[in-house]
Amino acid sequence: MAMEIIKMKKEHLDEVSEIAYGMYLEEQKYEKELRLSSKEKFCNKVKKSVFHERGYVCVKQGKVFGYLSAKEFLQEDGTTWCMVPIWGYGAIGSNREKILSMLFQKMAEELCENKTVHFEIKLYAHDEGSVRLFSYLQFGIQCEEGISSTKGDIHASGERVSEEEMCRTRLDLDTDVEIPHETEITVEELSKQEIKERWGEIWSLLSRLIGHLQKSPVFYPGEEFTEEVYKRFFLDEDTYVYAAKKAGSMIGLIEANADGNEFLSDNEGCYNVGDIFVADEFRGKGVAQKLLAYVKDALQAKKIDSMWVEHGTANPNARGFWNKYFDSYCYTMIRDIKGC
C-alpha cells in the first residue's frame, strides 16, 4: 500500500506530537541548553498549535509517518504568508526526505494556485537532511537562531568554559584583539529615565545600525524599524538596555528582553538578546564582546539560565559574532512562489 498525503485530523494529533517530540530530542543531543520540563507539556503544546492550522499528514496503513503544519495569513499587498514553526514539521523512517517533499508539494499545490505565496519554514539546524531537501526545493536560509548558557566565561576563541575553570582563572573576552583599558570604556545598564533623557544619542546609534543593514550584502529594507517602535520597545519594562560608554558618551548598545521561546524552555529562565551595535571607530577593540559579557553576567544575576538570539545569515559581521558565542539550533528558510 502506497503512502498517502491527507489533511490532518484530530485523530492524528497523538502520532504527530510523538514525531515532533522525537525531532526535538534529536536536536537536544547537540544543544543541551534546549530543555523542557516534560514530554507531556511539549506534546500538549504541539497539539494545540497544529490542530487549527493548515496541516497535512503522510499515512500508510493508518500510521502517520510525517506531517507538515503552517500558520497562514494574508498581507495587505495580497501576498499569502505561510509559516511553518520549528515544531510544525517532522517525519520518521528511512524515507524522511521523500515524505517531507511530498507534504510540501501537497501544501504548495493547494496554496499557490493563482496567487503569490511567501513560505517560511523553521528547521532544526542539525537536521541536515531536511535543510538539504528544502535547499533543493529552492528555499534559501534567511536567518538562524542560537542559544547559550549565562553560566561560565568565554575564551578568546569563543568557547565557553565551566564555572570551575572560571574560578581558577578569569580570562578576558577576545584577548587576541586590542581591548581598551577598563577605565576608558565602561558598560552599564541604562535606566528608563536615562533612556528618555538620552534618546537622541541612542537613536543616533540605532539609525546607524539600520543604515548598516540596508547596505550590501544584507539589503534589508527595515521598513518596520521606526523610531517610535524602537523607543516603545526600549522603554518596555521587560527590556533591558546596556550601553558601552567612553568619557560618558555612548559608543555601543545591546538589549535583552523577556521574549522567551516556549519551545526552547517552558520556564522564564530564557531571555532573548537582540540588537547589538558598536560605532565604527570602536570596532575591533573588543567592545561588542564586553557588551555581551556584561549582559550575560547581568542576566545570570537575575536568575536567567540561558539566552537566545536570532540573526540574519546575510550579515557576515553578525554571523561571525553571534556564532562565536551561541550554538545554532534553528534555521529559517524562505521561498516566494508566484502561482500559475
Side-chain angles (χ1 to χ4, degrees), residues 9 27 29 63 76 91-92 137 172 176-177 187 192 211 240 278 310:
K9 300 178 182 177
E27 187 65 22
K29 292 178 182 178
K63 177 179 173 60
E76 291 182 1
I92 56 175
L137 291 172
D172 287 328
D176 56 336
V177 298
V187 178
K192 299 305 179 187
Y240 302 113
V278 175
E310 180 178 22

Side-chain angles (χ1 to χ4, degrees), residues 3 24 30 62 93 105 115 125-126 128 136 145 151 153 180 195 199 210 216 222 225 227 253 265 279 287 296 320 335:
M3 291 185 291
Y24 181 86
Y30 300 93
Q105 181 179 347
K115 59 182 176 182
H126 294 87
E128 296 179 356
Y136 289 154
E145 296 172 27
K151 299 176 181 178
D153 208 343
I195 291 173
W199 181 252
I210 294 168
S216 178
F225 294 149
E227 183 175 358
L253 288 172
S265 175
V287 179
K296 181 179 69 64
R335 181 184 176 186

Side-chain angles (χ1 to χ4, degrees), residues 199-218:
W199 181 252
E201 278 184 84
I202 294 170
W203 180 241
S204 176
L205 285 171
L206 293 174
S207 297
R208 292 164 71 178
L209 169 63
I210 294 168
H212 171 72
L213 295 176
Q214 290 172 336
K215 296 176 182 177
S216 178
V218 182

